Amino acid sequence: MKPVTRIHSRTAVLADENIDTDRIIPARFLTTTTCEGLGRHCFNDWRYLPDGSNNPAFPLNHSEGKDCAILVAGRNFGCGSSREHAPWALLDYGIRAVLSSEIADIFRNNALKNGLVAIVIGANEHRWLLDNPGIDLSIDVREQAITLPGGNVLHFELEPFARHCLLEGVDQMGFLLQHADAIGAFEQQREAA
Amino acid sequence: MTAVRTLFEKIWDAHLVAPETPDTPAILYVDLHLVHEVTSPQAFDELRAHGLKVRRPDRTLATLDHSTPTLPMNADGERPYATPQAHAQVSKLEANCREFGVELHGWDSADRGIVHVIGPELGATQPGMTIVCGDSHTSTHGAFGALAFGIGTTEVGHVLASQCLLQRKPKTLAVHVDGRLPQGVGAKDLILHVIGTIGVNGGTGHVIEYRGCAIEALSMEERMTVCNMSIEAGARAGLIAPDDTTFAWLEGRPHAPQGEAWERAVAHWRTLKTDDGARYDREVRIDASQVQPTVTYGTHPGSAIALDAPVPIARNAVEQRALDYMQGRVGQPMAGTKVDMVFVGSCTNGRLPDLREAARILRGRRVAKHVRMLVVPGSETVRRDAEAEGLHEVFRAAGAEWRLPGCSMCIAMNGDLAAPGQLVVSTSNRNFEGRQGKGARTVLASPATAAASAVAGHIADPREYRIQEEQAA
């Protein structure tokens, strides 16, 4: 994983509540055995019309929604299936951060492990961002701060270990493997009991 | 004196290799890791790339379920995979299990089936365990008083390599279900009612413990149905304290302890309950006597109502979009809605009692002419047991298709799916847009409601069929 320290982008908005991981990446695309190339199917059945052309009703197809790295999404984003293909698809599509007033646990966990910064913000700020698509935001992972146009700063919570891994660009496997002795001791103790 | 603790806290504490600190999450030991073909290939690649082994193959159990066809081999002995990629994915798990020494219940196993059906069937799922799987419905195993999390593929790699999971301690939510379920109302109706009450995000950040006399009265299969859908309320896991029902169900199963070890295990399992006076972070009370046959009307499992209750008016654009997608009729009940397909199966309702429940209504009746019905047993064991009772003959005589075990139309990635616009009454767990095929409309229901709807050709109250049966008898 590459270090993630700052993300600067215009925002794209998907205001729907409860955008589930089936909508982010439909199950028929899960027969892949790699993590790559899922971006072209990200939001597939929302983004394309049956003839394969772009759906004008999908906000990210509009010119102002294109090339945005920050997605502001409705409440309870990423609910449903545990498929890590959802953050893989979003990252491959070009999204680097997701902001919502509520983000489903497994999705948030998966996202952070892949360098997709999933941020929960307060309901009022969320409402404002939903109502004002296409504004420039700057996210500072180290400071846990979002700078709004005009300079106002919004602070957010980030699980400290996930933050550390984002900033250092390290995955969590290394940390676990450093504890191999403790894991072995735990196993011995339990199996002796 | 030790402090009073909840069931969740007892299991959590017993599996801490290292407790959480402000800087790092807890390292939680995993007793059982269940693996399937969809969420594991990238994790095995990760191990290979780093020269790592599976730390505990003896605590790892794999099966094929999601991408597998439910139609038999053709005349050339080939399985009718939906795509070459689906076939390749299955082959990859077979190869990975051989290379890493993981036990696979594959095509040649008499026990193959949906991962959350076979874990309990084999007795691999036991009270007090921590269980993970790269699948959100891992919460099913909580029915046995196990702490069972759905995880992502990166974490599948973590558990393969270290047998541990990094976790922040979740909060606890007690769902007390008091009273008795009315006649003709089952576990599926109950859990849909619970999710409808607490909301599709009502459990986020929490482990739910279901408790109360209505929960204690449930069979193990019914408890699995309830715990299975914990994730549909956003919960990290769902739990029910083990009791004599649990022990009787597990005794003698292949992976369950035997003889003296069984006695010792049961003595320990009896301590796995929330202590009097222990505190939950939140508590909710549900009156079981108020639960009716329940179905969904929208595009998430929290949009659940009694099937004879009016579909509520949309309160915002998102709800309106869901109603439009479902072609919902505001103010009208879901009962009476024309049905195109019926699916009975899945890790929610693909066990023997579920199939019996559907067969009881279908016996001596026909599926309506315009309805296509698939019945997909949850495992080879369920299939054998059902066939031994002649349930497959009941389904076939009624005009339903009797298939091979697998996830099938629950996730619709194996070729079993509905056409755009079709309405499916499904005993599965998710009614998301496109879940059962692009443009397909899903109504979640119990096996009884699904069977009654298949016969009627429209969403129907199973109790009416029960009454007919009683009058005939």
Side-chain angles (χ1 to χ4, degrees):
Chain A
M1 197 168 92
K2 287 191 193 128
V4 181
T5 52
R6 272 172 193 285
I7 299 161
H8 183 90
S9 168
R10 262 183 310 119
T11 57
V13 171
L14 291 176
D16 285 21
E17 290 179 5
N18 307 314
I19 295 175
D20 56 77
T21 52
D22 275 82
R23 249 172 121 190
I24 299 170
I25 180 83
R28 65 185 182 280
F29 302 114
L30 305 189
T31 52
T32 179
T33 54
T34 72
C35 323
E36 283 96 42
L38 288 165
R40 66 178 189 276
H41 299 306
C42 192
F43 298 113
N44 194 89
D45 296 347
W46 191 1
R47 175 176 162 194
Y48 304 116
L49 292 172
D51 67 2
S53 63
N54 281 344
N55 177 8
F58 181 62
L60 274 56
N61 282 340
H62 300 172
S63 55
E64 61 271 27
K66 276 198 180 9
D67 306 319
C68 295
I70 300 175
L71 176 65
V72 180
R75 194 169 63 112
N76 199 29
F77 184 78
C79 62
S81 157
S82 62
R83 61 190 67 169
E84 202 158 319
H85 308 68
W88 294 336
L90 287 163
L91 282 164
D92 192 44
Y93 182 72
I95 304 293
R96 295 282 171 268
V98 178
L99 275 54
S100 180
S101 59
E102 210 171 294
I103 299 179
D105 288 328
I106 306 179
F107 172 82
R108 192 180 183 191
N109 216 344
N110 287 339
L112 290 168
K113 285 184 170 63
N114 287 278
L116 174 64
V117 188
I119 299 174
V120 174
I121 53 177
N124 290 338
E125 293 86 354
H126 182 233
R127 182 77 265 156
W128 188 84
L129 286 171
L130 287 176
D131 291 342
N132 293 279
I135 60 159
D136 276 306
L137 292 186
S138 185
I139 299 172
D140 185 325
V141 175
R142 189 179 305 277
E143 298 301 323
Q144 297 177 226
I146 303 170
T147 306
L148 302 167
N152 280 346
V153 173
L154 191 64
H155 286 274
F156 59 87
E157 298 282 324
L158 193 58
E159 197 280 305
F161 188 63
R163 173 177 168 273
H164 164 79
C165 291
L166 286 172
L167 290 172
E168 301 300 320
V170 294
D171 66 34
Q172 303 186 356
M173 178 80 96
F175 176 79
L176 273 171
L177 294 176
Q178 283 167 16
H179 288 79
D181 289 348
I183 298 167
F186 180 89
E187 285 174 329
Q188 274 188 355
Q189 187 196 347
R190 285 222 327 176
E191 277 150 35
Chain B
M1 196 185 123
T2 51
V4 290
R5 291 181 296 170
T6 62
L7 169 57
F8 159 73
E9 287 166 322
K10 289 181 182 181
I11 304 173
W12 176 267
D13 291 349
H15 290 83
L16 282 177
V17 173
E20 62 183 337
T21 70
D23 291 336
T24 52
I27 301 180
L28 197 68
Y29 194 75
V30 172
D31 292 317
L32 176 66
H33 184 192
L34 300 165
V35 174
H36 65 80
E37 71 274 25
V38 179
T39 56
S40 66
Q42 300 86 349
F44 281 111
D45 283 349
E46 191 72 9
L47 259 62
R48 214 175 276 114
H50 292 93
L52 297 166
K53 287 195 241 175
V54 173
R55 183 182 176 94
R56 294 298 297 264
D58 58 324
R59 292 189 174 278
T60 312
L61 203 59
T63 192
L64 308 170
D65 54 6
H66 283 65
S67 298
T68 50
T70 58
L71 287 167
M73 282 189 276
N74 65 22
D76 300 329
E78 285 166 1
R79 298 201 178 270
Y81 283 98
T83 61
Q85 215 180 14
H87 191 178
Q89 188 176 59
V90 165
S91 301
K92 186 142 185 191
L93 182 59
E94 292 170 333
N96 281 331
C97 287
R98 274 195 303 274
E99 181 183 340
F100 289 92
V102 170
E103 182 180 341
L104 171 67
H105 288 283
W107 286 115
D108 55 357
S109 167
D111 301 314
R112 190 188 66 82
I114 305 175
V115 64
H116 310 308
V117 177
I118 73 167
E121 269 175 3
L122 292 167
T125 300
Q126 294 167 21
M129 279 185 163
T130 45
I131 300 176
V132 301
C133 175
D135 190 288
S136 59
H137 293 110
T138 309
S139 57
T140 312
H141 306 267
F144 292 80
L147 179 59
F149 295 117
I151 58 176
T153 297
T154 299
E155 289 173 321
V156 170
H158 291 172
V159 179
L160 288 174
S162 71
Q163 204 57 33
C164 288
L165 192 65
L166 292 168
Q167 282 280 299
R168 286 286 172 187
K169 191 175 180 178
K171 296 192 178 110
T172 51
L173 165 61
V175 174
H176 301 270
V177 190
D178 307 313
R180 276 176 65 175
L181 288 171
Q183 190 76 23
V185 175
K188 183 62 165 290
D189 302 308
L190 170 61
I191 189 61
L192 286 172
H193 179 87
V194 168
I195 300 165
T197 305
I198 70 174
V200 69
N201 54 349
T204 302
H206 292 74
V207 168
I208 297 177
E209 182 182 337
Y210 303 96
R211 46 182 306 161
C213 56
I215 298 295
E216 289 161 22
L218 298 176
S219 70
M220 284 318 296
E221 288 85 356
E222 291 170 324
R223 294 179 190 186
M224 284 188 257
T225 300
V226 168
C227 288
N228 172 274
M229 291 192 70
S230 303
I231 180 66
E232 310 313 335
R236 294 292 287 122
L239 277 170
I240 294 173
D243 59 13
D244 287 331
T245 304
T246 322
F247 311 143
W249 200 92
L250 275 176
E251 191 170 10
R253 292 187 182 265
H255 287 243
Q258 313 288 331
E260 214 179 294
W262 170 258
E263 298 303 328
R264 274 201 310 276
V266 171
H268 168 59
W269 294 342
R270 287 193 191 284
T271 68
L272 296 173
K273 54 186 175 195
T274 294
D275 297 324
D276 289 340
R279 297 281 292 270
Y280 299 92
D281 293 296
R282 271 174 64 208
E283 303 194 35
V284 172
R285 288 199 175 270
I286 303 281
D287 179 357
S289 70
Q290 296 304 307
V291 182
Q292 299 295 312
T294 301
V295 295
T296 55
Y297 63 89
T299 55
H300 65 69
S303 56
I305 48 170
L307 57 72
D308 55 4
V311 170
I313 193 163
R315 290 168 301 181
N316 55 45
V318 175
E319 289 184 2
Q320 187 57 51
R321 181 192 150 98
L323 278 182
D324 292 345
Y325 182 87
M326 291 303 293
Q327 301 168 28
R329 301 170 303 170
V330 172
Q332 301 289 311
M334 287 303 286
T337 307
K338 184 170 172 271
V339 173
D340 302 299
M341 278 191 85
V342 171
F343 170 63
V344 173
S346 85
C347 58
T348 314
N349 281 127
R351 298 179 183 80
L352 187 62
D354 300 315
L355 303 189
R356 284 179 183 150
E357 186 179 314
R360 200 158 48 232
I361 287 173
L362 287 173
R363 186 170 278 119
R365 296 196 176 95
R366 292 282 307 172
V367 173
K369 276 199 176 64
H370 66 275
V371 175
R372 182 176 171 216
M373 180 175 185
L374 260 60
V375 184
V376 183
S379 69
E380 287 293 344
T381 304
V382 172
R383 178 164 83 111
R384 270 193 309 279
D385 292 349
E387 290 183 356
E389 291 181 15
L391 299 185
H392 63 312
E393 298 300 349
V394 174
F395 294 127
R396 282 179 178 151
E401 299 173 40
W402 174 246
R403 295 292 192 93
L404 299 179
C407 301
S408 182
M409 274 189 73
C410 175
I411 185 162
M413 61 180 289
N414 74 331
D416 299 344
L417 46 82
Q422 283 195 322
L423 187 122
V424 188
V425 177
S426 180
T427 67
S428 55
N429 40 54
R430 287 190 174 132
N431 53 335
F432 298 149
E433 269 188 37
R435 173 82 178 181
Q436 299 192 293
K438 191 172 176 173
R441 300 176 291 145
T442 301
V443 173
L444 300 177
S446 70
T449 299
S453 304
V455 170
H458 53 80
I459 296 173
D461 190 332
R463 292 173 301 190
E464 290 166 17
Y465 289 81
R466 293 268 165 76
I467 291 163
Q468 284 181 29
E469 269 170 45
E470 280 155 22
Q471 283 168 348

